[in-house]
């Protein structure tokens, strides 16, 4: 219905997606697929929170049942660090592994991808920063996401924190697409409300940014708009009723669609600004995105007013016949309300950011590859202004 209002873009566009299996208990297929993919020894990447929730014990049982040997690496932090990638790589080699299984959220999956490319290419992780810089393909990678937000399980992205320089490196390549994603909404039942809110807002930002991206296409638009509809409809529900598997499932489907959209259309200034902010202050990625989104919509709106109007319509906002300025205000007000409804109330100032810090953050963010597909090409001063408005 929304597509027919836009002219069809006929520029060349490609679409890359891994094999994925979505549904209740998809996670239980992992050991069987390890065998199918020829695993001799599986490198399991996870973190201590996932272990505590009991998901690793269950996975170990499955692997043992299928007779698949494995080693577990759980020393992965939120905002995974470059040295964690190198430590994981050493463990992989010591154990002669030949397949990676990532069980976790974005940090675990990004770190697992980093380990995969370092294992295959034998170079430090910072050598792969940027677009299409991976020479040899990584070993087979199976991802089981434990959050509904990052979509690293279907994306061409990995984000690794460069600790000495205090910023997040964006690594983008088709070589980072996993071989298989097992997407199981049941895993979301152990997520707390704040993590649900932050990861849900990350997914919503993926869909927003993919839809208005310069590299969007008919295929990515389809996924991006449906992602916005699903996340908007179900995120608040899945926080109010955390055991509602329908709400969890629809949020996870929304996240998957957002992932397919942004993996192919790329992102924009919400993410370039959030990468710099999250890397510098070690803040949750989804929270950074949620704080920045209304300010980036304000900055971008004039570059893509019709697309933002469509987004407002999909969100169920009353914008028919309204002037552009009014649509923008309606959309921004709604995003601020949504954030508040899911208890993301911090500003950047609450997070310890000052006007001195915003200059440092902007100087790092201006080099992020996500700027290239933002509908409005930012200069350094624009990024400083957006940060300052989010203080
Ligand atoms: Fe993200």
């Amino acid at each position: 219905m929304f597509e027919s209002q836009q002219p069809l873009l006929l520029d060349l566009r490609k679409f890359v997606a891994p094999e994925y299996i979505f549904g209740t208990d998809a996670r239980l297929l992992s050991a069987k697929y390890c065998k199918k993919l020829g695993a001799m020894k599986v490198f399991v990447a996870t973190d201590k929170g996932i272990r505590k929730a009991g998901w690793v014990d269950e996975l170990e049982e499955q692997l043992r049942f299928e007779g698949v040997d494995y080693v577990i690496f759980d020393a992965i932090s939120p905002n995974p660090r470059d040295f964690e990638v190198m430590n994981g790589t050493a463990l992989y080699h010591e154990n002669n592994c030949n397949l990676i299984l990532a069980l976790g959220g974005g940090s675990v999956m990004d770190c697992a991808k980093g380990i995969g490319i370092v294992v295959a290419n034998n170079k430090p992780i910072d050598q792969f920063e940027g677009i299409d810089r991976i020479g040899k393909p990584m070993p087979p990678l199976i991802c089981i996401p434990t959050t509904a937000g990052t979509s690293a399980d279907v994306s061409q992205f990995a984000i690794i924190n460069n600790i000495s320089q205090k910023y997040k490196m964006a690594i983008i390549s088709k070589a980072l697409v996993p071989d298989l994603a097992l997407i199981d909404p049941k895993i979301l039942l152990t997520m707390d409300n704040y993590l649900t809110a932050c990861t849900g807002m990350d997914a919503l930002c993926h869909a927003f940014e993919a839809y208005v991206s310069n590299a969007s296409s008919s295929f990515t638009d389809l996924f991006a708009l449906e992602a916005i509809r699903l996340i908007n409809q179900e995120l608040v529900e899945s926080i109010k009723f955390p055991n509602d598997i329908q709400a969890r499932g629809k949020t996870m489907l929304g996240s998957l669609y957002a992932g397919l959209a942004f993996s192919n259309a790329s992102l924009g200034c919400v993410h370039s600004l959030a990468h710099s902010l999250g890397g510098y202050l070690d803040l949750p990625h989804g929270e950074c995105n949620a704080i920045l989104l209304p300010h980036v919509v304000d900055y971008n709106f004039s570059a893509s007013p019709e697309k933002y109007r469509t987004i407002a319509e999909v969100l169920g906002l009353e914008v028919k016949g309204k002037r552009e300025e009014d649509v923008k205000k309606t959309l921004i007000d709604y995003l601020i309300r949504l954030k508040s409804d899911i208890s993301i109330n911090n500003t950047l100032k609450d997070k310890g950011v000052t006007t001195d810090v915003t200059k440092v953050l902007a100087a790092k963010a201006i080099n992020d590859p996500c700027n290239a597909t933002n509908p409005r090409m930012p200069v350094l001063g624009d990024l400083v202004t957006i940060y300052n408005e989010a203080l």
Side-chain angles (χ1 to χ4, degrees):
M1 167 170 93
F2 297 104
E3 280 303 291
S4 62
Q5 296 165 6
Q6 309 282 347
L8 175 63
L9 289 174
L10 295 170
D11 317 26
L12 296 178
R13 288 288 190 264
K14 67 172 178 173
F15 193 88
V16 178
E19 178 179 350
Y20 57 83
I21 301 176
F22 180 96
T24 306
D25 293 339
R27 73 192 186 287
L28 301 178
L29 300 171
S30 58
K32 281 200 175 72
Y33 271 91
C34 285
K35 273 172 103 173
K36 265 194 195 175
L37 290 171
M40 304 298 287
K41 187 158 189 177
V42 176
F43 180 90
V44 177
T46 189
D47 66 30
K48 295 190 171 59
I50 298 300
R51 252 191 147 147
K52 209 169 148 199
W55 299 116
V56 178
D57 289 344
E58 184 193 68
L59 172 64
E60 285 187 85
E61 226 172 82
Q62 300 289 323
L63 291 168
R64 281 196 296 265
F65 183 78
E66 293 290 339
V68 178
D69 197 9
Y70 61 90
V71 63
I72 293 179
F73 178 64
D74 68 359
I76 302 174
S77 331
N79 299 324
R81 288 117 213 256
D82 42 13
F83 64 84
E84 291 168 345
V85 170
M86 302 320 281
N87 292 345
T89 301
L91 187 72
Y92 183 102
H93 284 311
E94 272 163 38
N95 285 275
N96 292 317
C97 298
N98 72 336
L99 183 145
I100 302 176
L101 173 55
L103 171 64
S107 301
V108 164
M109 291 189 280
D110 284 351
C111 190
K113 288 178 173 185
I115 292 165
I117 54 177
V118 174
V119 158
N121 293 276
N122 204 22
K123 284 186 207 163
I125 187 67
D126 60 359
Q127 300 294 301
F128 305 99
E129 184 182 2
I131 300 169
D132 286 336
R133 301 198 53 207
I134 300 170
K136 291 186 198 154
M138 62 181 164
L141 171 65
I142 298 175
C143 286
I144 307 176
T146 58
T147 60
T150 170
S151 296
D153 48 297
V154 293
S155 82
Q156 309 186 50
F157 283 63
I159 309 295
I160 304 292
N161 210 345
N162 184 321
I163 285 298
S164 60
Q165 313 222 11
K166 290 180 84 174
Y167 78 102
K168 287 184 175 182
M169 301 179 285
I171 304 171
I172 307 169
S173 166
K174 194 168 94 171
L176 291 172
V177 177
D179 293 85
L180 174 68
L182 297 171
I183 306 169
D184 186 346
K186 238 186 187 175
I187 294 191
L188 302 183
L189 297 175
T190 54
M191 266 210 298
D192 67 43
N193 278 350
Y194 201 65
L195 186 59
T196 303
C198 289
T199 48
M201 285 305 289
D202 183 25
L204 189 66
C205 289
H206 293 157
F208 262 66
E209 298 218 279
Y211 187 60
V212 300
S213 157
N214 295 335
S216 64
S217 67
S218 301
F219 347 112
T220 58
D221 286 355
L222 193 65
F223 284 112
L225 289 179
E226 183 59 3
I228 292 170
R229 192 186 69 78
L230 281 166
I231 296 161
N232 181 52
Q233 189 180 289
E234 303 296 336
L235 181 59
V236 175
E237 286 304 294
S238 65
I239 290 169
K240 265 195 212 155
F241 307 105
N243 292 321
D244 180 345
I245 191 72
Q246 276 293 316
R248 291 292 198 180
K250 286 177 189 171
T251 312
M252 199 157 209
L253 191 62
S255 165
L256 167 63
Y257 288 168
L260 293 169
F262 94 78
S263 176
N264 290 282
S266 196
L267 295 161
C269 282
V270 175
H271 273 76
S272 61
L273 294 164
H275 290 154
S276 174
L277 177 64
Y280 195 74
L281 294 169
D282 200 17
L283 299 173
H285 173 62
E287 187 181 25
C288 296
N289 284 336
I291 294 170
L292 292 161
L293 179 62
H295 302 284
V296 174
V297 170
D298 190 14
Y299 172 73
N300 278 347
F301 194 95
S302 60
S304 195
E306 284 312 311
K307 282 207 150 184
Y308 280 113
R309 182 185 290 272
T310 303
I311 288 177
E313 286 170 0
V314 171
L315 289 169
L317 305 177
E318 208 37 77
V319 290
K320 204 162 183 228
K322 277 194 181 174
R323 291 180 311 130
E324 269 177 26
E325 269 309 298
D326 297 330
V327 176
K328 177 165 121 174
K329 185 174 181 327
T330 305
L331 180 55
I332 291 172
D333 287 349
Y334 181 80
L335 292 172
I336 293 168
R337 249 190 346 268
L338 175 64
K339 256 186 340 143
S340 156
D341 286 348
I342 57 176
S343 304
I344 300 181
N345 294 315
N346 287 320
T347 64
L348 291 190
K349 203 173 183 183
D350 298 325
K351 294 283 164 188
V353 180
T354 61
T355 46
D356 285 342
V357 175
T358 58
K359 287 187 199 117
V360 179
L361 294 177
K364 291 175 192 287
I366 196 69
N367 297 318
D368 191 287
C370 293
N371 292 321
T373 42
N374 194 66
R376 186 173 164 191
M377 194 49 63
V379 295
L380 184 65
D382 295 339
L383 299 185
V384 175
T385 304
I386 300 170
Y387 277 132
N388 286 343
E389 280 168 0
L391 282 174

